Structures are given as C-alpha cells and as structure tokens.
C-alpha cells in the first residue's frame, strides 16, 4: 500500500506569486488548464496500489479547495484529503510529523512526498522502482536533476556516491559551489522517516536559546532539507538519490507559471493529446501547443499560440493574437488585441486594439541543464525587473492602451498606457 503527501504551504507563502495568489490559493492556480497540484495528483494516482493522497498546508478550508478535492476523488478514484496545520506553517517536515498518525494509518509500505510549487514530467514510477531495487531495509530517496554550476547554489545540492547512489553530502542553498546535482523537492520515504523527524523535534525542544524573539512555535518548525537531510540522515547511509533528465522546474513566480504552462502543454502530446487544440474549419488559427477550454468562445479569425491556455468562459474577439500567455476564467479579450508573454486575470476586460506584453525570462538555451532564474522583483537601482506582464482579477483596460512589463493589481480601471510599473 502506498500514499502520497503533497505539501501545499499556506497564505504566508507564495508572496512572489502575487497578485495571482490574492484571489485563490497558489496550489490551485491553473497551469495548462488545470490547477497546479492537479498534475501532482494525476501523476500519483497512476501508481499501482496508491490508496490515499494527503494535502498538508495552513490554508483555511474554502469552497475552491473543497470543490477541488471532491473533483479529484471523482476523476482519479482515489481518496484525497486536506489536513490543515493548526498554526502557521510548521516547515516541510513539521507538518508531516504533526499528522504522522494520519499518514501512517493503514500501515503504508512507502509514501511519496511532493512539494506543491514544483512542476515537471514526474517520474514517480521510475523513482519507486529505483527505491525498491535498493532492498527492503528502511531507506529514503530524493529525486534530483542537473543544474548549472552558477544556478546550483539556489537549490538543495547533493553529493552522491556514483556507485551506490547514496547521498554523502547535502547542503540547502549553499553559499559556495557544492554540486550541480540538485534536489527536485520530491521524495520516497519508508515510515521510519518519522523516527528521524522525531529526533530533530526533540533536539529543537531541548535547544537552549537566549533569543527573546524565539517562541515555542518556532521550535515546532522542522525543515526536511536542513534539519533531516543535512543533519539527522547525514552519514547514516540511508539516503539515496535518483537522478532524472525529464523536465522539472520550480513555480515561484508568475513568470515561472508561463514557463511551466509551455512544458505541460508539450507533455500533453504524450498524456492527453485530445486536450490540445487543432486547426479546423470555423476554429481559430492554432500555432503550436494550445489548450482551449470547451466553454471558451474564440473567434475563428483569432490566432493563438504557441503555448497558450484559454480558460473557462473566456471570450476572444476577432483578429486577436495571443502567444506564450495564460488567459484566466471569465476574461474578455476584445477585437484585434495583442497579448504576448502575459497572464490576464479572472473576469478582466481588455478593450479592442490593446497590446499587453511582457518579457520572457526563459533559461539560457546555450547552457545545458540551465534552470529558470527567479529574479528579484526590483533591480538594485530600484527599477522593476523585466518579466511577464500580470493583469490581476477584475481589471478593466480600455481600448488602444499599451501595457508593457507591468503588474496590475486586482480591481483596477486603467486610463492610460503603462510601462515597467506596478499599478497599485
């Protein structure tokens, strides 16, 4: 029997994802037509003998979250539950430890742990086969991928024994170069992992501190990467690494969502080719990979793609050009608009002949294993960093306006053009 735990964080997280996370929990933000963690649940449900998928986070239960869980149970015929942390987030291991009895109920042989803010062509079956090939004694496996030497310090870095694939050294976001092998934030654990989390929990309780700002709550925060991998399991010989060459990326910002959208649409060629739109009579001109929700109304003279997602109840007018963008539910794009490298928020209105354009921040194509750089919002000189344009929910943009490299917060009525600005 197997289970999967998906760590979805809470409202105090995902601040770099604003304003998109102001209207719904970040894990439910739609990428390639479906919520971010839909792709996690789909991948986990394909594993034989997967009995339960548990979401752990500190979001308050909501209509959106409850409805999503219900639909996932119906779609994938697997139990999906949400366990809410009693306080602010307890850390990547603390939340699991708090709900250890729930995770271990039914006596699972193994369980997957997946962070919600990653995307990829999840090789869960290959990872499970590798884990089982090591033997029946308790051990733990990290999914890893290759990064560039310069970018590796932004991730958890792994040094492995090439012969046995045991992890000999792990450092989370080191200050200097350690290894180009980085953690993907996806793990396979045997139930014995809770023994090591328990040791870390006890150590944190016993630590003497003279910091007046330290609280008992801080002592409940246990980080899987720093407290367990880099400390409790180092030298144990029980931590292994499975390396993948398939697509993987973090989703920390709106720009990363557009990048993930592109790759998930490409994966649909293999997993769900029926979801990709095709050129046909009385249908819009499609270039490359495009997902159009069945309820969307798109004028046949519009040109979409490559890498475009049109969500539920969207209206696209005549002569519209959309490329490398996500148009969210209920948005209206009037005639002859041009939208490039942008996200248009829920129920927003874009007047005719308006141009909305952002700047892509794709990985360097000339560097093998390059990952997406998550740039700071502002440059050192105070200017807004070039990135995709994000239009928040319920924004009204009049005709013949240009919005370039800007972020528009929800419920704004624009009256003029903007460039490199945050419209508050």
């Amino acid at each position: 029997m197997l289970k999967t735990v998906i760590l979805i964080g809470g409202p105090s997280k995902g601040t770099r994802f604003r304003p998109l996370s102001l209207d719904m929990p970040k894990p439910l933000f739609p990428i390639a037509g479906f919520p971010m963690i839909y792709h996690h649940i789909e991948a986990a449900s394909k594993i034989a003998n997967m009995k339960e998928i548990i979401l752990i986070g500190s979001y308050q239960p909501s209509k959106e979250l409850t409805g999503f869980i219900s639909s996932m149970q119906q779609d994938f015929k697997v139990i999906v539950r949400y366990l809410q942390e009693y306080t602010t987030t307890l850390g990547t291991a603390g939340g699991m430890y708090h709900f250890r009895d729930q995770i271990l109920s039914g006596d699972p042989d193994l369980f997957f742990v997946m962070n919600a803010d990653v995307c990829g062509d999840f090789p869960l079956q290959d990872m499970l086969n590798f884990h089982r090939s090591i033997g029946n004694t308790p051990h733990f496996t990290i999914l890893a991928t290759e990064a560039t030497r310069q970018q590796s310090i932004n991730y958890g870095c792994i040094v492995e024994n090439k012969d046995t694939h045991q992890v000999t050294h792990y450092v989370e976001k080191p200050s200097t170069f350690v290894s180009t092998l980085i953690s993907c934030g996806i793990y396979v654990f045997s139930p014995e992992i809770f023994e090591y989390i328990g040791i870390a929990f006890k150590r944190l309780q016993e630590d003497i501190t003279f910091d007046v700002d330290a609280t008992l709550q801080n002592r409940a925060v246990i980080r899987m990467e720093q407290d367990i991998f880099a400390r409790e399991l180092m030298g144990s010989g029980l931590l292994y690494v499975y390396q993948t060459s398939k697509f993987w990326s973090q989703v920390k910002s709106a720009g990363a969502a557009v990048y993930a959208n592109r790759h998930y649409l490409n994966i649909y060629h293999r997993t769900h080719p029926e979801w990709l739109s095709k050129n046909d009579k009385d249908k819009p001109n499609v270039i490359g990979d495009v997902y159009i929700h069945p309820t969307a109304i798109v004028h046949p003279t519009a040109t979409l793609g490559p890498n475009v997602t049109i969500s539920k109840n969207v209206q696209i007018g005549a002569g519209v050009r959309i490329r490398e963008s996500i148009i969210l539910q209920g948005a209206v794009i009037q005639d002859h608009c041009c939208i490039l490298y942008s996200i248009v928020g829920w129920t927003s209105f874009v007047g005719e002949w308006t141009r909305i354009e952002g700047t892509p921040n794709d990985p360097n194509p000339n560097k093998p294993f390059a990952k997406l750089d998550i740039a700071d919002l502002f440059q050192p000189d105070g200017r807004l960093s070039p990135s995709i344009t994000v239009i928040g929910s319920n924004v009204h943009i009049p005709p013949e306006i240009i919005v370039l490299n800007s972020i528009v917060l929800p419920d704004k009525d624009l009256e003029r053009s903007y460039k490199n600005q945050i419209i508050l």
Side-chain angles (χ1 to χ4, degrees):
M1 172 186 163
L2 302 173
K3 292 190 178 186
T4 296
V5 176
I6 302 176
L7 307 175
I8 67 172
S12 63
K13 302 294 184 181
T15 54
R16 284 179 287 183
F17 210 71
R18 293 173 182 169
L20 300 173
S21 57
L22 295 175
D23 294 281
M24 71 162 46
K26 177 184 170 183
L28 299 186
F29 180 81
I31 297 177
F34 297 89
M36 192 183 301
I37 57 173
Y38 173 97
H39 305 282
H40 297 61
I41 294 173
E42 182 185 35
S45 68
K46 292 179 179 179
I47 304 298
N49 209 23
M50 182 63 66
K51 295 300 183 184
E52 186 177 37
I53 297 173
I54 298 173
L55 313 180
I56 296 179
S58 57
Y59 289 100
Q60 291 293 330
S62 63
K63 182 176 69 174
E64 292 86 359
L65 189 57
T66 303
F68 170 75
I69 291 172
S70 177
S71 66
M72 291 301 93
Q73 293 189 125
Q74 294 176 5
D75 289 350
F76 299 115
K77 304 298 184 289
V78 64
I79 298 170
V80 181
R81 288 194 296 152
Y82 174 54
L83 302 179
Q84 183 189 0
E85 295 175 8
Y86 64 90
T87 179
T88 55
T89 183
L90 296 172
T92 46
M96 285 173 49
Y97 189 67
H98 181 69
F99 293 112
R100 59 193 179 278
D101 292 338
Q102 302 267 19
I103 296 171
L104 297 179
S105 66
D107 196 24
D109 305 316
L110 303 166
F111 61 94
F112 288 93
V113 175
M114 307 175 75
N115 282 283
D117 60 354
V118 300
C119 64
D121 192 359
F122 302 120
L124 300 188
Q125 186 62 57
D126 294 339
M127 189 180 177
L128 182 61
N129 294 342
F130 168 83
H131 183 88
R132 285 174 167 164
S133 70
I134 294 169
N136 294 324
T137 56
H139 58 281
F140 320 105
T141 301
I142 303 174
L143 181 67
T145 189
E146 197 81 14
T148 66
R149 185 183 179 94
Q150 293 81 7
Q151 290 180 317
S152 63
I153 60 174
N154 299 319
Y155 302 89
C157 293
I158 300 168
V159 179
E160 69 165 330
N161 181 317
K162 295 290 185 180
D163 297 323
T164 63
H165 301 293
Q166 286 177 312
V167 176
T168 58
H169 191 48
Y170 183 97
V171 185
E172 182 69 17
K173 297 180 181 176
S175 56
T176 58
F177 173 73
V178 172
S179 169
T180 57
L181 193 63
I182 63 170
S183 169
C184 294
I186 298 172
Y187 322 114
V188 177
F189 292 149
S190 59
E192 287 76 11
I193 189 66
F194 289 112
E195 296 177 12
Y196 293 90
I197 300 176
I199 293 170
F201 180 78
K202 185 177 180 181
R203 171 174 50 80
L204 290 171
Q205 304 310 304
E206 293 174 349
D207 279 350
I208 298 175
T209 178
F210 298 99
D211 183 358
V212 295
D213 295 324
T215 64
L216 290 175
Q217 176 183 311
N218 293 334
R219 295 187 182 187
V221 175
I222 310 173
R223 303 161 299 177
M224 184 66 69
E225 299 77 12
Q226 294 96 322
D227 296 321
I228 308 303
F229 294 161
R231 186 161 181 171
E232 301 301 338
L233 287 175
M234 274 303 93
S236 67
L238 300 179
L239 192 59
Y240 290 80
V241 58
Y242 174 74
Q243 186 172 349
T244 181
S245 59
K246 294 184 176 182
F247 162 69
W248 174 88
S249 182
Q250 290 183 326
V251 187
K252 298 288 189 182
S253 67
V258 171
Y259 179 68
N261 182 71
R262 175 194 310 169
H263 286 277
Y264 274 134
L265 290 174
N266 181 259
I267 291 171
Y268 287 170
H269 282 285
R270 187 184 77 253
T271 60
H272 297 287
E274 70 279 6
W275 289 353
L276 295 173
S277 298
K278 299 175 177 62
N279 285 303
D280 203 351
K281 185 180 179 181
D282 297 326
K283 289 190 175 181
N285 180 34
V286 169
I287 302 171
D289 300 335
V290 174
Y291 171 85
I292 302 176
H293 193 277
T295 62
I297 300 173
V298 184
H299 197 277
T301 61
T303 300
L304 310 179
N307 309 316
V308 168
T309 291
I310 306 297
S311 303
K312 186 177 180 180
N313 297 327
V314 167
Q315 298 179 41
I316 307 290
V320 168
R321 179 70 175 101
I322 304 178
R323 174 190 176 114
E324 298 281 355
S325 297
I326 299 173
I327 312 299
L328 296 174
Q329 181 174 339
V332 176
I333 313 296
Q334 289 205 313
D335 299 353
H336 307 294
C337 290
C338 181
I339 300 177
L340 311 174
Y341 297 99
S342 300
I343 296 177
V344 178
W346 300 270
T347 67
S348 286
F349 177 90
V350 181
E352 59 188 17
W353 294 104
T354 285
R355 183 181 185 93
I356 299 174
E357 184 174 356
T359 300
N361 57 344
D362 293 350
N364 188 338
N366 298 315
K367 288 186 176 182
F369 312 116
K371 299 293 182 279
L372 188 73
D373 281 322
I374 308 299
D376 292 333
L377 186 59
F378 295 100
Q379 297 178 359
D381 59 5
R383 292 183 299 167
L384 191 66
S385 297
S387 186
I388 70 162
T389 289
V390 179
I391 307 298
S393 63
N394 199 32
V395 170
H396 185 276
I397 302 177
E400 301 179 25
I401 290 293
I402 299 175
V403 182
L404 298 178
N405 297 332
S406 295
I407 298 173
V408 184
L409 268 66
D411 304 309
K412 303 301 174 190
D413 288 339
L414 304 190
E415 297 178 353
R416 60 179 179 86
S417 297
Y418 290 90
K419 178 180 180 182
N420 299 328
Q421 294 189 49
I422 299 178
I423 296 94
L424 300 174

